Amino acid sequence: MRSRASRSVVLSAGAALSAVGLVLAHGCGRDESGSGRETRERRASQVAAAWDGSAAASEWRSGFHPMGDMVQLPKGGPRSKADARAVRERGFVLEGRLPAARPQDGRVAWDGGESLARPLAGAHESFETLTGARVGGKPHLTVTGAKLGEMTVATSRGPAVVPAWLFRLKGYDSPLKRAAVAPSTLPQPPIEQAREDPGHLDRLVEVSSDGRSVTVVALRGACDGDSVVEVLETRGSVVLSATVEDPQNGGDCTAQLLSQQVTVTLKRPVGDRVLLDAHTGRPVACKPWLGPSPSWS
């Protein structure tokens, strides 16, 4: 099944190349011949066969793996452009006291009664995940206190209610919520990363509310055409293979990568199937907007 591409973003060469271990020089495209397609299809089948019915898949389904943001802004979002900039640049400052006591384990609760005990982060530790290096004079949001509450997070097992720190922001009536529960560690993948370079998925953006479409960020060379994501669906997994249209196979190419969102439509909802990257053989990485969750490190 093919995919629908949307906007592209130029990544800095150093950061992008470091992230995926690529060197783009004379010709930054990939082989789109029949043999190239056969290689991708064979690799996707191998990944699905390795995961379906495996101990890794069972471990994945029994854990807590966030598939969306672990931070929720106050209702209505930022009230001004300056506040929106402060959020983007992690400009949070603390004025006041945060609870000092470190809470015990909390529970992640799914519909249907399933739950899982997970360690909780303290208020100070959670606040530190919101902050970045601030330079004087930049816009900022002021945190005046916090209390332990709850929030709903998208996970690999559907929506879950989790313990969260509710941070009070000066000038806002509702809190900023930061999930306090630690994600489960990823299982060891039952297949090694591919030696070939069929394409790269950078991260998961979202799974639609009905589970019938998945949006990811794919990486491509600056000389290539649009990113394409192909799908292999099995009973236990959804394997995504990244490639490009109209690859540049010759000539000079600037050493940079483009980041492009691509949405794929599935034959049936994702459900509890594992969403996999054909190249790495691992679950597609979820990288929330304020940094990756610990389970993807």
Side-chain angles (χ1 to χ4, degrees), residues 188-208:
Q188 185 66 30
I191 187 171
E192 294 183 354
Q193 180 169 308
R195 294 183 179 181
E196 300 87 0
D197 175 24
H200 292 272
L201 295 176
D202 178 58
R203 62 185 172 89
L204 172 69
V205 176
E206 67 175 358
V207 177
S208 64

Side-chain angles (χ1 to χ4, degrees), residues 2 11 37-38 55-56 83-84 100 117 145 168 179 217 230 233 253 262:
R2 304 292 277 183
L11 302 181
R37 288 191 296 273
E38 291 172 1
D83 284 1
R168 295 193 303 273
V217 171
E230 298 167 343
E233 295 188 57
C253 181
V262 181

Side-chain angles (χ1 to χ4, degrees), residues 2-26:
R2 304 292 277 183
S3 52
R4 185 174 74 254
S6 57
R7 66 181 183 276
S8 297
V9 177
V10 179
L11 302 181
S12 64
L17 297 178
S18 174
V20 298
L22 295 178
V23 175
L24 302 179
H26 298 283

Side-chain angles (χ1 to χ4, degrees), residues 90-124:
R90 304 163 70 99
F92 293 89
V93 298
L94 178 62
E95 289 184 7
R97 291 192 163 198
L98 298 178
R102 188 179 186 87
Q104 300 298 315
D105 288 355
R107 299 202 71 83
V108 179
W110 287 272
D111 292 342
E114 291 186 338
S115 65
L116 180 68
R118 294 297 304 162
L120 293 184
H124 285 274

Side-chain angles (χ1 to χ4, degrees), residues 66-84:
M67 304 293 279
D69 286 333
M70 298 278 275
V71 175
Q72 293 177 2
L73 297 177
K75 293 178 182 179
R79 62 182 183 179
S80 66
K81 290 183 178 179
D83 284 1

Side-chain angles (χ1 to χ4, degrees), residues 20-291:
V20 298
L22 295 178
V23 175
L24 302 179
H26 298 283
C28 49
R30 288 167 286 282
D31 179 18
E32 270 302 289
S33 64
S35 62
R37 288 191 296 273
E38 291 172 1
T39 297
R40 291 196 304 277
E41 292 171 358
R42 182 169 58 252
R43 170 63 182 179
S45 296
Q46 291 170 344
V47 171
W51 273 89
D52 289 358
S54 68
S58 296
E59 185 179 347
W60 168 266
R61 292 190 179 95
S62 65
F64 166 55
H65 300 289
M67 304 293 279
D69 286 333
M70 298 278 275
V71 175
Q72 293 177 2
L73 297 177
K75 293 178 182 179
R79 62 182 183 179
S80 66
K81 290 183 178 179
D83 284 1
R85 179 184 171 189
V87 170
R88 290 195 305 270
E89 298 180 356
R90 304 163 70 99
F92 293 89
V93 298
L94 178 62
E95 289 184 7
R97 291 192 163 198
L98 298 178
R102 188 179 186 87
Q104 300 298 315
D105 288 355
R107 299 202 71 83
V108 179
W110 287 272
D111 292 342
E114 291 186 338
S115 65
L116 180 68
R118 294 297 304 162
L120 293 184
H124 285 274
E125 182 181 351
S126 294
F127 173 75
E128 289 300 322
T129 67
L130 301 175
T131 61
R134 277 195 69 246
V135 178
K138 284 191 175 182
H140 65 273
L141 290 167
T142 301
V143 173
T144 61
K147 66 178 181 179
L148 195 60
E150 293 180 336
M151 65 184 285
T152 301
V153 174
T155 80
S156 59
R157 299 162 61 178
V161 176
V162 305
W165 287 107
L166 312 184
F167 291 101
R168 295 193 303 273
L169 297 181
K170 183 180 292 186
Y172 285 82
D173 295 328
S174 61
L176 177 146
K177 300 179 181 181
R178 172 65 166 92
V181 64
S184 301
T185 302
L186 281 180
Q188 185 66 30
I191 187 171
E192 294 183 354
Q193 180 169 308
R195 294 183 179 181
E196 300 87 0
D197 175 24
H200 292 272
L201 295 176
D202 178 58
R203 62 185 172 89
L204 172 69
V205 176
E206 67 175 358
V207 177
S208 64
S209 58
D210 63 2
R212 294 298 297 268
S213 65
V214 176
T215 300
V216 295
V217 171
L219 304 178
R220 61 183 175 85
C223 298
D224 295 331
D226 281 340
S227 295
V228 175
V229 177
E230 298 167 343
V231 184
L232 172 65
E233 295 188 57
T234 70
R235 183 175 181 180
S237 61
V238 177
V239 185
L240 304 181
S241 304
T243 184
V244 295
E245 293 179 341
D246 303 320
Q248 173 68 30
N249 289 312
D252 293 335
C253 181
T254 57
Q256 64 182 190
L257 292 181
L258 299 182
S259 168
Q260 184 171 0
Q261 283 195 14
V262 181
T263 299
V264 296
T265 302
L266 306 180
K267 296 178 181 177
R268 61 186 180 89
V270 175
D272 67 350
R273 293 184 292 173
V274 188
L275 191 64
L276 298 168
D277 179 350
H279 176 64
T280 64
R282 294 164 57 92
V284 180
C286 175
K287 301 177 181 178
W289 63 286
L290 283 176

